[in-house]
Amino acid sequence: QVQLVESGGGLVQPGGSLRLSCAASGSITRLWTMGWYRQAPGKERELVASITSGGRTNYGDSLEGRFTISRDNAKNSAYLQMNSLKPEDTAVYYCNARAAVTIIDYYGTDYWGKGTLVTISS
């Protein structure tokens, strides 16, 4: 199995920055796209950003420019740099990854972390 552990959440004032980290561990034979999703109270989970193993990125609506996703393939890790944070960015941020645990698994399985809370408030 694969475990995803997020870190870096916390309380930040509006306009501040945070950097989230996600580390994937387990019997990983291949790690495809990694991504960040968020879920605010009373709202559906939404894509924040994703990045392929080759470095191609995709961002949720209106987030590119303030948020930057990156990854370190050698460490099976992904990062989310969040700048100019707004109160509406308050949410639980979840790491997602598609990974294989056997060499004959050509499609992988989606895994989720438990989430890290980001609160933007003065």
Side-chain angles (χ1 to χ4, degrees), residues 54-69:
R56 188 171 69 245
T57 59
N58 181 44
Y59 290 89
D61 292 343
S62 304
L63 295 178
E64 189 171 12
R66 293 194 300 124
F67 291 9
T68 303
I69 190 170

Side-chain angles (χ1 to χ4, degrees), residues 17-100:
S17 298
L18 275 177
R19 185 175 188 252
L20 304 183
S21 299
C22 172
S25 62
S27 303
I28 299 171
T29 57
R30 187 171 177 182
L31 193 58
W32 287 278
T33 297
M34 299 185 74
W36 291 94
Y37 290 73
R38 68 184 182 183
Q39 187 166 19
K43 295 187 177 181
E44 294 186 353
R45 191 172 296 190
E46 64 176 354
L47 172 70
V48 176
S50 64
I51 184 167
T52 67
S53 58
R56 188 171 69 245
T57 59
N58 181 44
Y59 290 89
D61 292 343
S62 304
L63 295 178
E64 189 171 12
R66 293 194 300 124
F67 291 9
T68 303
I69 190 170
S70 60
R71 69 188 282 172
D72 184 334
N73 290 330
K75 296 182 178 179
N76 286 342
S77 294
Y79 310 95
L80 185 69
Q81 178 67 41
M82 305 186 293
N83 298 326
S84 302
L85 285 162
K86 305 174 182 180
E88 51 263 44
D89 294 318
T90 295
V92 178
Y93 284 70
Y94 296 92
C95 180
N96 167 268
R98 176 164 287 257

